[in-house]
Amino acid sequence: TATLKETLAAMIPEQQERVKALKKEHGHKVIQEVTLDQVYGGMRGIKSMVWEGSVLDSEEGIRFRGLTIPDCQAQLPKAPGGEEPLPEGLFWLLLTGQVPSEQQVRDLSAEWAARADLPKFVEELIDRCPTTLHPMAQFSLAVTALEHESAFAKAYAKGINKKEYWGPTFEDSMDVIAKLPNIAGRIYRNIYKDGKVAPIDKSQDYSYNLSNILGFGENKDFVELMRLYLTIHTDHEGGNVSAHTAHLVGSALSSPMLSLSAALNGLAGPLHGLANQEVLRWIEQMRDTIGTGVSDETIKDYLWKTLNSGRVVPGYGHAVLRKTDPRYMAQREFALKHLPEDPMFKLVSQVYTIAPGVLTEHGKTKNPYPNVDAHSGVLLQYYGLKEANYYTVLFGVSRALGVLPQLIWDRALGMPLERPKSFDTTHWEKIVKKL
Ligand code: AMX
């Protein structure tokens, strides 16, 4: 069977032609008007990016190359005896648009395991971080340091032909993804445990190896959770902070390592990926303040207390989505199957029935429904991964599998340096007054 690189290589010329023809025939067409509100409003809704892996519908949620999350759960290969899709399969799908065979996914697991070792200096770098440095900062630092190994940077320095950029970008992406379990695991073991890191088992899949390094390899349900978790957090089209950052930094021909570490820094913000840590803290604080098994009225009061103190309800709202996030639903289904009686899950479920009403009454957020981060922490804490500060690292491992396929396509399609136009407010005043 064809390897991932062979499959991709075979697709590139056709896609290049397709884009060339599209630009030639329609390049001059006006797509939409842009308002000043959008300019001052975080560029919401401005259609200005190409992102091949996924498209987000505000009502339906994410589709990966046309497949919904339940489609992926049904169609992507599983581990032997497993029920959840393997993130290796989603990476293949994002990159090629094709559902891989079981053998192709097994081969990809083996290839990542074979590339997993970290350079010694990166291990030492992580080991020398103070345990008080946030895990996301350590994560981004280690990924930046992998630049030392970048095939793309080396090839560029040697004067590689533009047409060949995608090759070393692919190799770097595979390398950096392969090394993430060792980076993420080492950070976890150093900060919260004994600093000992289990070796990669080359016969096992990516999620097993990550779980095992963290210390949860024996727990089959945790490994299954990791497979689901790493699959659903990969990609959420191009405009979100982490995806857009990877693309933007990559457009300067920075390597996959530098592009990914920049994306991780964006993911580490509380309005983006850090929300999963904030959610668990908020739920725990709620439990400690009001207890479990409380009335809906008590939860409602607690939600108002959060809002009235000028804070957001973490895990609720979204820049694009206007319905409950299907990534939330996938995790809820997992909880209903594996931990239906867990008091924290029950609390999260109860909040789910109450918060949308309260947020609607509050009247600010455009989307009163839960996003992906409203659920993940509760699942992780159930299995004993209770260190909320760490949660965004797992999100980051998954997000690498989403943003790097696009970076490879950016190179294959020769996407240019990204450079939108900006003005100062004086200019904007002049521009809009003339309209
Ligand atoms: N609680 C309280 N107020 C909220 C809110 C929430 N969960 N979500 C949005 N609002 C408020 C905003 O702060 C804003 O208030 P302002 O007018 O006073 O500034 C107003 O509602 C309008 O915001 P919006 O257009 O609905 O959202 P946005 O596109 O600007 O931001 C998001 C989206 C996710 C940052 C926001 O909903 C939020 O802060 N949510 C809580 C944090 C969170 O869960 N983040 C994770 C998102 C998913 C992810 O990226 N991982």
Side-chain angles (χ1 to χ4, degrees):
T1 60
T3 66
L4 180 53
K5 197 172 184 180
E6 288 162 358
T7 308
L8 179 65
M11 298 175 69
I12 288 174
E14 197 183 319
Q15 186 69 0
Q16 285 169 336
E17 284 311 310
R18 189 174 161 205
V19 172
K20 206 166 135 191
L22 184 70
K23 286 200 301 188
K24 191 166 174 231
E25 200 182 336
H26 303 284
H28 60 285
K29 290 193 176 164
V30 175
I31 294 164
Q32 70 176 150
E33 289 186 324
V34 173
T35 65
L36 189 69
D37 275 344
Q38 287 176 299
V39 171
Y40 276 91
M43 301 195 280
R44 259 343 156 275
I46 300 181
K47 295 173 182 160
S48 56
M49 290 182 73
V50 181
W51 199 265
E52 304 289 0
S54 62
V55 178
L56 179 59
D57 180 86
S58 64
E59 302 292 316
E60 186 195 49
I62 197 70
R63 277 182 186 261
F64 303 115
R65 294 281 190 169
L67 301 187
T68 63
I69 288 174
D71 291 341
C72 289
Q73 286 173 300
Q75 294 180 31
L76 292 178
K78 325 268 185 300
E83 290 180 11
E84 297 298 342
L86 292 171
E88 287 90 327
L90 194 74
F91 178 75
W92 189 296
L93 175 71
L94 291 174
L95 194 56
T96 66
Q98 298 169 10
V99 172
S101 68
E102 209 165 294
Q103 189 55 47
Q104 286 171 323
V105 160
R106 302 275 176 270
D107 291 348
L108 188 54
S109 298
E111 188 164 358
W112 284 352
R115 294 174 182 237
D117 288 351
L118 296 181
K120 187 106 187 73
F121 90 95
V122 175
E123 290 183 352
E124 287 167 3
L125 187 72
I126 299 170
D127 293 347
R128 289 177 68 166
C129 287
T131 54
T132 45
L133 180 60
H134 193 279
M136 280 305 282
Q138 298 196 28
F139 191 16
S140 137
L141 195 68
V143 172
T144 299
L146 288 178
E147 173 71 0
H148 190 259
E149 318 298 305
S150 170
F152 181 83
K154 290 187 178 82
Y156 191 86
K158 279 194 190 145
I160 184 177
N161 187 313
K162 256 181 141 150
K163 295 197 182 83
E164 290 160 20
Y165 282 172
W166 75 268
T169 303
F170 175 87
E171 295 300 332
D172 278 357
S173 298
M174 293 285 280
D175 271 343
V176 74
I177 288 170
K179 293 178 194 318
L180 297 181
N182 266 326
I183 292 178
R186 196 171 196 93
I187 293 168
Y188 182 76
R189 301 297 302 180
N190 279 353
I191 299 181
Y192 309 107
K193 304 287 173 188
D194 56 6
K196 295 203 176 92
V197 178
I200 294 281
D201 180 341
K202 294 200 161 71
S203 68
Q204 289 277 3
D205 64 279
Y206 192 72
S207 309
Y208 169 85
N209 274 315
L210 176 60
S211 306
N212 194 43
I213 296 176
L214 294 173
F216 300 90
E218 300 291 301
N219 188 331
K220 283 194 169 55
D221 287 350
F222 182 89
V223 176
E224 277 285 278
L225 172 64
M226 248 333 89
R227 290 170 182 146
L228 175 67
Y229 184 103
L230 295 181
T231 297
I232 65 177
H233 286 77
T234 46
D235 205 27
H236 218 225
E237 76 172 29
N240 67 78
V241 169
S242 51
H244 190 184
T245 303
H247 169 76
L248 169 66
V249 173
S251 85
L253 296 184
S254 304
S255 74
M257 287 73 174
L258 297 181
S259 304
L260 178 62
S261 63
L264 293 172
N265 289 339
L267 193 69
L271 295 188
H272 191 21
L274 206 74
N276 58 13
Q277 126 176 359
E278 301 299 314
V279 169
L280 195 71
R281 285 222 187 102
W282 181 80
I283 295 276
E284 280 175 348
Q285 270 166 13
M286 173 170 9
R287 179 202 55 197
D288 295 347
T289 312
I290 65 176
T292 52
V294 295
S295 71
D296 289 359
E297 212 45 45
T298 312
I299 290 182
K300 206 168 161 185
D301 290 346
Y302 195 84
L303 282 156
W304 276 112
K305 224 175 85 189
T306 300
L307 291 168
N308 289 336
S309 64
R311 286 178 293 161
V312 295
V313 175
Y316 280 75
H318 197 272
V320 179
L321 277 171
R322 296 295 174 256
K323 285 265 169 73
T324 296
D325 192 333
R327 301 172 298 174
Y328 176 93
M329 289 312 286
Q331 295 181 92
R332 181 173 160 77
E333 297 297 328
F334 188 95
L336 286 169
K337 192 152 99 189
H338 295 280
L339 46 134
E341 296 308 322
D342 178 54
M344 288 286 274
F345 167 58
K346 285 187 163 173
L347 194 53
V348 164
S349 296
Q350 202 178 355
V351 172
Y352 177 42
T353 63
I354 300 161
V358 171
L359 285 165
T360 303
E361 201 181 324
H362 183 240
K364 276 195 164 185
T365 175
K366 296 190 185 72
N367 172 30
Y369 301 106
N371 60 54
V372 66
D373 295 315
H375 216 303
S376 45
V378 167
L379 297 176
L380 296 168
Q381 63 85 37
Y382 173 78
Y383 292 108
L385 208 168
K386 292 178 190 287
E387 299 86 357
N389 266 6
Y390 183 76
Y391 290 170
T392 311
V393 173
L394 298 176
F395 195 155
V397 172
S398 177
R399 191 42 60 105
L401 274 57
V403 302
L404 292 172
Q406 182 59 41
L407 197 66
I408 297 165
W409 274 110
D410 287 346
R411 298 285 192 266
L413 297 175
M415 293 295 269
L417 183 76
E418 193 174 284
R419 184 35 170 115
K421 177 69 190 138
S422 65
F423 289 109
D424 58 21
T425 295
T426 310
H427 279 78
W428 279 119
E429 281 167 346
K430 281 188 199 147
I431 291 167
V432 294
K433 277 175 192 161
K434 271 194 235 151
L435 294 175

